[in-house]
Structure formats: C-alpha cells, structure tokens
Amino acid sequence: MANEQDVVVGTVGLSKTFRDFWLREKVAAVHDLTISVQRGEVYGLLGPNGSGKSTTLKMILGLMFPTAGRLAIFGKGPRDVATKRRLGFLPEESYLYPFLNAHETLDYYGRLFHQDRSERKRRTGMLLDMVGLSGAAYRRVGEYSKGMQRRIGMAQALINDPDLLILDEPTSGMDPLAARQFKDLIGELARRGKTIILSSHLLADMEDLCDRVAILFAGQLRSEGTLEELLARRSLTQITTERLDGDTLSQLMAVLARAGKEVLSVETPKDKLETLFLRIIHDAQRQRTSPQTAVNTGQLAEFLRATPGQPEKQVLEELLAPAAEPKPETPEGVSAQSGQAQGAAVEPPPAPASQEVLAELTDSPARQTPTAQSASPESAQPMQADQAVIDELLGKDEKNDGRA
Amino acid sequence: MMAVRSIWAVARQTLLECFRSRLALALLAVLLVIILGLGLSMQDSTTLKSRLQAFLAYSSGLTQLLVGVATVLLGCRAVSGDVQNKTIFLVASKPLGRWHYILGRWLGLSLLNAVLLGAAFLTMDLLARHIRSCPTETETRIARGEQLDRRLDLDRHEVDNNLMAARVARNPQPYDLDAQVSAELERLDKEGGMDLAIRYDIIQMLQSRQGAQKRPVGVDDPEVEAIYQDQGVQASLRQKVIEDLRKGQQEQKQLVAPGQGLWLTFDHLPPSNEASGLELRYMLTPARTPKDETLRTGWMLRDPASGGSVPSPARTDPVKQVISMPLAPQAIGPDGTLRIQYFNLQGDTEVHLKSEDVTLLYRVGSFEGNMLRSALLTLVGMMFLAALSVMFSSFLSFPVACLVCMVALGVGYASDFLLEATRLPNYQAPQAYQVFCLAVVKGLLFFLPSFNQLSPSGRLVEGLVVEWREVIGQAAVWFGRPAEGSFWANLGFVPEYGAGLKMALALLIGCIIYQRRELAKVQV
C-alpha cells in the first residue's frame, strides 16, 4: 500500500458525464475511475481517441468539474491555486498566444508564477536554450511550426520547475527527431524526480517512458500496472546472438526440438526506421544548423537539475552514439535500446534493464531495483522451467556429451 | 500582493494583446486621422466659435463612439476568445485565481481605454488651440486694413472667454410656491373642485381609451363613478391635480405682463473677485409673437454694495432664441447671491420667462483642465463598458456578447426615453404588461448607467465645466439630497451611485459566473 504522502494525484470513483441542453445524460466520458499516481513515477494514460484521457487530465487541472467521485492533487482540490504552483501542463496542442514571441510567452507565464524579473529572464533564457529555440526567441509564436510550438509549450510547462508535470500527447505532430528529443527530455525529468502524467495513444511513447500505465477505453479503466506486469510474455523466450550460420541454426533448432520447444520464428533483426532517421539527421545537424529554427542543445535547464551548476550530459548525443557507430549488439546493448533494435528475436523483448534479462537467462538472482518494473517472484518461475534448455544452449550439453 | 501581481500580469498581457491584434491600433489611427481631418478642414463655418463648437462636438462624439466600439469588440473577445482558442487551458493551469483573471482582463482594457482617450483628447486639445489661433472675421478684416475696433470682436470674445473655458451654469432659485399651492388646494377642497378635477381627469382618460368612437361621458356616469371609488386611483389623480396646480402657479409666476418685472435670484455663487466671465443667458417666449419677432427687454441688477438697483440699457431681443448678456462680477453679493430683475418693455404681449430658460454662467477653470476631466468622465463610461463586455464574455461567445453589449449601450443612451415610454399611467390601475415593462426598464437602468451623463460632449461645446465632483461621483458612491416625501427624506440623505458601483457589480457577476463555469468543452 503506497504511503498517502507519496500520492501526488489520486482519484476515487471519478466520473464525468456530459449532458445535453435538457440535462439528459449524453455520454459518460469518464466512469468510476480510481487511480493513484505516486511521487516520482511516470504514469501513462493510454487509450484510443475518445477514451477519456484528456477529460481526466482536464479534471485534474480543474478545467472541468467531475460529475461524481473525488480527486486530489497533492492532497488538495484541483482548483486550489497554491497547488498549481507545483504543476506544469503541456496540452495536446500548444495553445499559445500567437501574437507573442517565445521570449514574451515564457515571460508571461513566469509572471503568473510571480517570478521576479531577473529570475524570469534567467529561466526564459535557459528554457529557450533547452528546447532549442534561442535562435527564434523573438519570432512570433504564431509563425512557428507545430514542432516549435510544442517545444515552447514544453518550455512554459517547465517555467516553474514543477513537481508534477502533466503532458497530453506530448509528441503529437512532431517529427521523429523532435519526438525523440522530447522523450529524452521527459525521461531526464523523470530521473530528476518529477512526477509525470502522460496521456497518449502512441504506444511507443508510453513504452519508452512510463513506469505505470492505465489503459482506458470508453471512459473506463480497463487495465493498470507496471509495464513489466502488462507486457511480459512469460510463455516465450528470446535469445539475441551474433549472426548464426545454417549449421549452428540447425543445431539450435534440434536442441529446442529435443526439449520439446517449438520455434515460432527466426528473423534477422533490423534497425528501426526511427534509429536510421535519427542518425541521418544527427549527422546533418553536425554539419549545419539554422539559427531561425529549433535546434535542441540537449542540455537540461540548470534550474531543473538536481544539482544546479553541474553541466548535464548531452541527452541527444548519448542517445545517438550507438546508432551512429553500429557495432555488434550484446544482450545489454539490445535491452538498453528498449526495443529500438531487436535481436535475432524469437519475440520482441520486453523493456526490463539488461542486467535483469541476463539474470533471468542465466538463472542468477535478479537484481532488485526499486522501480515498479522489477519482476515479482511469481513472474520469475516460468523462466526456471526453461533452465535445461538454456544450459544446453550455453554448452552444458556439449560438455556432458564430451564426458559421455 | 500576490493577487495584485497576478492581476497586473493579466492586465499587461491584455494591453499587449489589444495592440498586437492591430484592432486597437487601427481604431486609434482612424480616430486620430478623423480628429485631425475635422480640426484642419472645418473652414466653412461662419464664425470661429461655431467652427470650434462643431469640431468639439464631432470629435468628442466620434471618440466616444470609436473607443466604445473598440472596448466592446476587444472586451467581448477577452475571455471568450481565450476559451474558444483554448489558450485558457495554459492560463488556468497556472496559480492564478479566476477572479484575478477577470479583473486583470478588465484592468488591461481600462488601460487601453486610458491610452486611446488620452491620445484622442490630447489631439483634440491641440487642435482646439489651433482653431482658436485662427483669425476671426473681424481680425481678417482688420488685417486687410479695415478700421475696426478689436474690442467689439464678439466672436473672439466668445471663443476666448466662453468656449475655451470651463464655466458653471446655474438656474435661478425656484420660486416658493408652497403657500399659493396650499391655499389653492384648500379652496378646491372646500368648494368641491378637487372631486370635479379628478372626475374630469377620469372622463379624459375614458375618452382617450374610446378612441374615435367617443360617446358623451358625464361626471355622474356610472363608469366614472366606479373608477372614482377606487382609492388608489383617487390618490394618484389627486397628486396629479396638485402637480398641475403647482405647474400652473409656476407658469403664472413666470408670465410677465407688459410693464411688469420678475425678480430672479442666483445663490451659492463664488465671491465677486473670483467670478470671471459672468454671463446671463435667457430665452424669451411671448404669449403672442410680435410681427418683427423681437421683444423690448429691460434688466436691472441689484447692487449689493448700495442695496439699490442698477438698470442696464433697454434691449431688443429676438423671440425664442438664446440671448447672452455679460454681467459685472460686482453684482455678486458677499453672501454669494446675485439678484436681477427682468422687465417686459413690450407693450402688447405677455412674456414667459421660464426658470429653465434662464442661466447664469461664470468661469471656474481652464479649458485644458476641463478637457482632462472630460477625458476622465469618458474613461469612467468606457471602464464600465469594459466591465460589461468582460462580464458577458465570461459566459457568452464573442458574437453574442458583442450583440448584448451593443444593446446595453443603446439602452444606456436611451435611458431617459425608455423611462418616459414605460411610465405607468396615473389615472388607472396599470396593466400587468406595463408593470412588467417598467420593471424590466428599471432593472436595466439600475444596472446600466446613463451614458448621456457620462458624455461630456454637450458641455465641451458650450464651454461648461465638467466638475471633479461629478467625475469622482460617477466612479463612486455619494450622498445626495432626497426627494421630498421619499423614504430617504426621513434620513436627510439619499445614497447615490455612479457608473463605478455598477462597474463593480458587473465585475462581481462576471467573476461569480467565470468561477463556476467549466473552461473545457466536451470532446468525446
């Protein structure tokens, strides 16, 4: 049971029913939703269009009032002004004043947080740097591309260094590079201890970022849990190795057949299109940048860092390094990519940390991580059942055969 | 303090938004071009005074119209635009109370109004000075070499002393008619005349209702008797008879027979050494208009020093025209009273000199100061309009809010007419619809100020002062003199309020509605 102090957003039986002019019930946008978002976690609201994600977020923000149920943010009502000092919000589209430039936009929102002039100036500069809009800071937001508008939208959401960040479709309308940068930024913020609520119907985004996910459909909560709990396919095993020749592959199949295991598929892994795209754009950016468009520095704004003053790693650089210099992928490499580069897969791997995958495969004790992704003892059991096969694959059979 | 910073942040943003949207700038440009055009192009007027008056009338009227339109358009878009464009999502997710937002929007619009009106009135002032510096016809003729006396240049005198000034206009003290009215009332009651007067009123009413198919109705008619027995109707008609009596006495008092005189008393005047530009304005209405349409008139001032009377030379004045006659400030006594007697020197007709047709004017301030107060008075009206448009904008869409504001503006300007049009008849029990109409109009006028009172145009054109008391009074609550017989008469004062209180009421309603509304719409 989570400590109540750690609950950032909690809803109990939250419902929102829209009525027509005659007050007849028209549609239940959200029905009996009970969720609890813990401090420091990235919580995803996943669902198709019209599933009630945005309505839930709007109720959390106090833009809509629940028809029934209870809702608390940091233990207070959603319309409490003081609570909003700890909150940052990026709506599904960046609803910005088109007549303001980026600098004025951030300055205005900084004023609403009662920041003094020097603080506003400092944060505005850093945020514009962070989202790569320094070169376009004095262009009107109305002239921005959608991607640039999303960036300035993200910057305004961070102007107050919020404890809770609510992001509605954060990567919608963005090109893959910008989307990747955004996801990196969100990941970085999560590592800094921010609580993040993410709403999206883009499964890849959720898979990349979320600790826990709630799946909504027709306004109702259909499933909730950690990605590990929701995604792991315990009945299958995936092995990633260097390219196998035909003989080795046949031997492998034979071993599996002897063990009574059916091979479902054997494939050569491919790069994801996203990875290829990122590599090309990254190379191009190194050669030339246009100051009038968005150029991400990959640097987290200083006031958002845990320890101000220390330079951050270039998030983008870090991400692109493996893609820019392809090399044979180790199991660690595969899992570190979290599904970006799939191995010679029997089945695409889930997203646990690479050490955990190895631990499972080699039957060594799993590293206990404090995150919600750590596997439960029950979920580890099916892996033990396959130990004999793994031993055989790792060469025990050969040893035994030799002894024999 | 935090609230102030929030409100200021929104106000600043609103001001920026108004200018960046170009509507305000476009209106300002149009306004200044029109004012400049009016000031520089009005060459056809016969006198400098009429040219200046026309300029002041058109430019101040246009300023109010254009700034009013700008306020309504921008104010109605202020909140509803944010909701429609969803920019409110970001604003509402910040630590900003909803009432901060509404007040900030209103303050921003008010600042915009201040900028627009400041620019317009400053331009008007500069152009009025330019027109004043233009030569009068007499000065032109003198420049051409004609031998004329500059001191007799009435046009120059009017422009310099009466128009480019701030003057107070006072009507004479009302005549004390209570004794005469009481005596007449007593006589009527004693002789049964009151009953008869009431019955005649009822007959008149019945006949007016019958329209074209009139039938003879006598005082003993059963229908008349039935209405007469209604106590409410009787009391109402009795009051009407008393009012008619008073009116009759007043008219009789003001009707001056040939060779007779009528004293007029003006009080609460400034000391004689401070009163400059003293001027008497009057209009004579003869019972029978002479062939030459002029009247022989004599005036006699009471000299406060000697207690005697000082006659002025006899005059010949046109009938039914406003006549202006300068007076010496020494005519004002140490008690701040001036007495002057009118003589009807026309031998063949009685002359009506109504109190409202006689005005004493004197200078109390400069034209520039008057322009400033006029701008502020206009600003109060525009601030109310901003509050009204923000209020409607807090729950209506842009076009609907605009429409409602325009209607409200029309009602505000036509308030006097609407009150007169919905006045209940005093000779019969009112119909339900009449009561309803009156209630609606009174309700609207309780909420809306009279925009005529907030318009300084008429006074600027006449060179009349817009007093600080009035400007402040329009922006606040003050205590006035209660009407006789009213509930407030027992307390000795009546609380009065100007546009300021109504503005606060509009903002309060706007805040309450906005506080309770959802800012996001259904999207399922």
Side-chain angles (χ1 to χ4, degrees):
Chain A
M1 183 68 187
N3 186 346
E4 275 191 20
Q5 294 291 316
D6 285 340
V7 176
V8 175
V9 177
T11 72
V12 179
L14 191 70
S15 299
K16 179 67 187 178
T17 306
F18 294 118
R19 296 175 190 278
D20 65 9
F21 180 79
W22 305 106
L23 299 179
R24 291 175 304 195
E25 269 194 28
K26 203 172 169 188
V27 63
V30 175
H31 181 69
D32 196 23
L33 180 69
T34 301
I35 57 170
S36 168
V37 181
Q38 305 295 313
R39 189 181 303 277
E41 78 174 333
V42 182
Y43 189 90
L45 289 174
L46 186 60
N49 292 333
S51 59
K53 307 183 300 289
S54 290
T55 304
T56 304
L57 292 189
K58 284 167 187 169
M59 284 193 281
I60 291 172
L61 289 161
L63 299 172
M64 279 184 184
F65 309 144
T67 315
R70 281 181 291 139
L71 168 62
I73 307 168
F74 296 109
K76 293 186 176 169
R79 295 175 66 189
D80 182 78
V81 173
T83 302
K84 290 184 177 174
R85 302 192 74 81
R86 303 173 65 184
L87 196 145
F89 172 52
L90 174 68
E92 57 196 315
E93 283 181 44
S94 303
Y95 302 119
L96 301 161
Y97 291 104
F99 52 85
L100 296 180
N101 62 39
H103 197 276
E104 289 166 337
T105 299
L106 295 185
D107 186 71
Y108 173 51
Y109 292 118
R111 281 174 188 273
L112 294 182
F113 283 100
H114 310 134
Q115 292 165 359
D116 58 37
R117 182 196 291 261
S118 59
E119 183 64 11
R120 288 200 309 273
K121 198 174 171 187
R122 191 175 74 88
R123 290 192 178 198
T124 298
M126 282 193 281
L127 284 170
L128 287 173
D129 261 355
M130 189 185 85
V131 297
L133 286 174
S134 294
Y138 294 96
R139 269 177 59 195
R140 289 194 179 188
V141 169
E143 298 168 1
Y144 278 11
S145 68
K146 189 166 183 185
M148 291 165 84
Q149 289 191 357
R150 297 301 287 162
R151 286 163 187 264
I152 192 69
M154 179 58 114
Q156 66 77 30
L158 296 172
I159 190 80
N160 59 322
D161 188 13
D163 295 327
L164 169 63
L165 198 54
I166 298 176
L167 307 173
D168 194 358
E169 310 281 3
T171 57
S172 79
M174 301 187 90
D175 63 61
L177 176 65
R180 184 69 252 167
Q181 289 168 349
F182 247 47
K183 286 193 275 188
D184 294 336
L185 177 62
I186 294 166
E188 196 58 36
L189 289 167
R191 279 191 285 281
R192 302 284 159 200
K194 309 282 183 207
T195 308
I196 298 171
I197 299 179
L198 199 64
S199 156
S200 180
H201 52 241
L202 299 177
L203 307 180
D205 285 5
M206 302 302 253
E207 199 174 339
D208 280 0
L209 295 168
C210 293
D211 299 326
R212 278 201 303 147
V213 170
I215 299 174
L216 302 179
F217 182 75
Q220 288 185 310
L221 182 65
R222 302 289 166 160
S223 182
E224 188 196 28
T226 62
L227 285 174
E228 176 64 22
E229 287 164 1
L230 297 175
L231 300 182
R233 299 181 66 178
R234 300 293 169 197
S235 59
L236 302 177
T237 299
Q238 172 186 294
I239 298 166
T240 308
T241 175
E242 288 178 29
R243 183 168 181 81
L244 301 178
D245 56 34
D247 287 346
T248 314
L249 194 59
S250 301
Q251 285 174 25
L252 189 61
M253 303 283 261
V255 170
L256 291 169
R258 277 203 300 279
K261 303 294 179 187
E262 185 187 0
V263 177
L264 299 177
S265 72
V266 177
E267 293 170 353
T268 303
K270 294 176 200 161
D271 249 4
K272 279 177 77 176
L273 188 57
E274 183 190 15
T275 313
L276 175 69
F277 179 82
L278 290 175
R279 189 167 59 225
I280 292 168
I281 295 300
H282 180 66
D283 290 345
Q285 272 195 345
R286 278 183 171 168
Q287 291 167 17
R288 188 174 73 90
T289 57
S290 165
Q292 287 299 304
T293 58
V295 181
N296 200 339
T297 61
Q299 191 98 0
L300 202 65
E302 189 183 304
F303 70 92
L304 295 170
R305 289 177 197 146
T307 48
Q310 290 188 350
E312 282 300 308
K313 272 193 293 185
Q314 297 269 328
V315 178
L316 184 61
E317 296 285 339
E318 187 183 36
L319 174 89
L320 292 175
E325 296 167 21
K327 57 187 178 186
E329 288 171 328
T330 60
E332 289 88 340
V334 172
S335 51
Q337 290 287 322
S338 303
Q340 290 168 40
Q342 295 164 14
V346 176
E347 182 70 19
S354 54
Q355 288 299 325
E356 289 169 349
V357 179
L358 270 181
E360 275 189 14
L361 285 170
T362 55
D363 200 22
S364 62
R367 188 171 63 94
Q368 293 299 312
T369 61
T371 66
Q373 291 180 341
S374 59
S376 62
E378 292 78 29
S379 64
Q381 278 179 349
M383 304 307 293
Q384 288 171 353
D386 294 334
Q387 189 58 48
V389 179
I390 293 166
D391 285 347
E392 190 175 346
L393 288 172
L394 290 173
K396 281 185 181 178
D397 274 351
E398 283 175 21
K399 263 189 198 172
N400 292 340
D401 287 346
R403 281 181 201 152
Chain B
M1 188 58 195
M2 289 299 179
V4 173
R5 290 181 76 174
S6 295
I7 291 168
W8 174 244
V10 178
R12 188 179 171 280
Q13 168 76 3
T14 306
L15 196 60
L16 198 61
E17 183 176 345
C18 290
F19 280 113
R20 291 276 171 88
S21 70
R22 298 202 179 101
L23 177 63
L25 279 177
L27 278 168
L28 181 62
V30 168
L31 188 60
L32 294 183
V33 165
I34 290 176
I35 292 174
L36 279 167
L38 282 171
L40 299 174
S41 68
M42 282 189 165
Q43 309 287 350
D44 301 335
S45 303
T46 51
T47 62
L48 197 61
K49 180 191 172 188
S50 58
R51 184 180 161 191
L52 187 55
Q53 282 184 316
F55 167 70
L56 289 172
Y58 286 128
S59 56
S60 62
L62 268 169
T63 299
Q64 288 169 65
L65 178 72
L66 288 179
V67 176
V69 168
T71 305
V72 168
L73 291 179
L74 293 168
C76 288
R77 204 180 56 177
V79 182
S80 64
D82 267 3
V83 174
Q84 194 176 2
N85 301 332
K86 299 181 183 174
T87 40
I88 199 69
F89 286 10
L90 290 181
V91 176
S93 67
K94 303 291 184 273
L96 179 77
R98 289 197 176 187
W99 65 275
H100 298 163
Y101 175 75
I102 292 286
L103 289 188
R105 282 299 198 189
W106 167 76
L107 183 64
L109 285 167
S110 299
L111 288 173
L112 174 77
N113 282 329
V115 171
L116 294 179
L117 289 174
F121 274 83
L122 186 67
T123 313
M124 280 164 60
D125 183 62
L126 292 173
L127 284 165
R129 285 165 192 246
H130 164 73
I131 294 172
R132 180 193 197 172
S133 68
C134 293
T136 61
E137 194 183 344
T138 306
E139 286 166 345
T140 309
R141 288 167 64 186
I142 291 171
R144 282 204 297 259
E146 291 185 39
Q147 297 296 313
L148 295 169
D149 189 349
R150 276 183 194 276
R151 289 173 300 175
L152 297 178
D153 187 354
L154 196 62
D155 197 16
R156 174 57 62 195
H157 170 80
E158 287 278 344
V159 168
D160 286 354
N161 299 314
N162 298 346
L163 211 52
M164 295 289 282
R167 298 186 303 161
V168 168
R170 287 269 165 82
N171 290 113
Q173 266 186 350
Y175 302 107
D176 185 8
L177 301 169
D178 288 351
Q180 286 103 312
V181 171
S182 296
E184 188 67 14
L185 204 57
E186 201 176 324
R187 190 182 63 79
L188 276 175
D189 281 335
K190 199 180 288 177
E191 296 172 1
M194 178 58 85
D195 281 357
L196 210 55
I198 292 172
R199 283 172 192 274
Y200 271 122
D201 273 345
I202 294 170
I203 290 169
Q204 212 172 5
M205 176 267 292
L206 284 174
Q207 287 188 332
S208 71
R209 277 167 55 178
Q210 283 164 1
Q213 298 170 337
K214 281 183 186 171
R215 68 174 177 86
V217 181
V219 288
D220 298 328
D221 193 284
E223 201 176 353
V224 174
E225 187 60 30
I227 297 173
Y228 180 78
Q229 291 305 326
D230 187 316
Q231 294 296 315
V233 173
Q234 206 176 101
S236 162
L237 288 177
R238 183 182 168 81
Q239 195 57 40
K240 181 175 176 286
V241 172
I242 295 170
E243 280 170 22
D244 288 347
L245 271 178
R246 183 175 289 277
K247 208 181 284 180
Q249 291 287 341
Q250 175 90 2
E251 283 185 4
Q252 203 167 348
K253 187 89 179 172
Q254 293 171 345
L255 197 63
V256 187
Q260 296 294 308
L262 176 69
W263 277 105
L264 303 165
T265 305
F266 299 91
D267 57 2
H268 297 104
L269 301 177
S272 56
N273 57 349
E274 290 178 18
S276 62
L278 206 62
E279 179 192 350
L280 186 75
R281 280 189 187 178
Y282 58 93
M283 188 169 75
L284 302 169
T285 311
R288 189 172 54 78
T289 306
K291 279 184 183 171
D292 62 352
E293 297 191 349
T294 59
L295 294 168
R296 291 284 292 162
T297 309
W299 291 93
M300 195 151 67
L301 269 170
R302 194 195 64 154
D303 182 4
S306 65
S309 296
V310 182
S312 68
R315 307 162 55 97
T316 302
D317 293 327
V319 300
K320 291 184 182 174
Q321 280 190 27
V322 178
I323 315 296
S324 176
M325 181 172 73
L327 297 178
Q330 290 77 10
I332 300 173
D335 59 347
T337 306
L338 181 145
R339 296 198 76 204
I340 187 166
Q341 191 175 21
Y342 161 74
F343 284 102
N344 178 3
L345 303 181
Q346 188 77 16
D348 54 356
T349 181
E350 293 172 317
V351 174
H352 219 152
L353 188 62
K354 299 175 189 170
S355 298
E356 58 267 30
D357 290 344
V358 185
T359 323
L360 183 73
L361 298 110
Y362 55 92
R363 189 174 180 147
V364 289
S366 66
F367 178 73
E368 289 73 23
N370 214 28
M371 285 293 269
L372 174 67
R373 289 186 294 273
S374 298
L376 289 175
L377 187 66
T378 312
L379 179 61
V380 172
M382 293 303 144
M383 284 168 76
F384 171 80
L385 209 53
L388 196 71
S389 49
V390 167
M391 182 196 83
F392 284 125
S393 170
S394 69
F395 63 98
L396 294 175
S397 64
F398 172 68
V400 182
C402 277
L403 189 67
V404 176
C405 277
M406 290 297 182
V407 170
L409 196 62
V411 170
Y413 273 114
S415 55
D416 296 340
F417 164 75
L418 285 171
L419 272 178
E420 183 59 30
T422 54
R423 194 164 57 88
L424 294 180
N426 52 9
Y427 48 77
Q428 62 176 21
Q431 302 286 323
Y433 79 91
Q434 290 172 316
V435 176
F436 174 75
C437 288
L438 183 66
V440 169
V441 168
K442 283 203 164 177
L444 281 173
L445 296 182
F446 171 76
F447 192 68
L448 298 171
S450 166
F451 285 105
N452 291 319
Q453 288 176 12
L454 293 166
S455 168
S457 297
R459 279 170 286 181
L460 279 178
V461 168
E462 292 297 326
L464 296 177
V465 70
V466 174
E467 294 180 76
W468 277 115
R469 193 181 55 178
E470 187 184 352
V471 175
I472 295 166
Q474 281 294 352
V477 181
W478 74 101
F479 299 110
R481 196 181 296 172
E484 281 180 30
S486 70
F487 165 76
W488 294 101
N490 301 320
L491 299 173
F493 68 90
V494 59
E496 293 183 12
Y497 46 86
L501 189 74
K502 297 178 180 184
M503 193 188 308
L505 189 64
L507 288 171
L508 180 68
I509 293 172
C511 286
I512 291 171
I513 293 173
Y514 187 67
Q515 186 78 23
R516 299 175 70 86
R517 75 168 287 192
E518 291 188 329
L519 299 175
K521 285 185 181 174
V522 182
Q523 280 183 324
V524 179

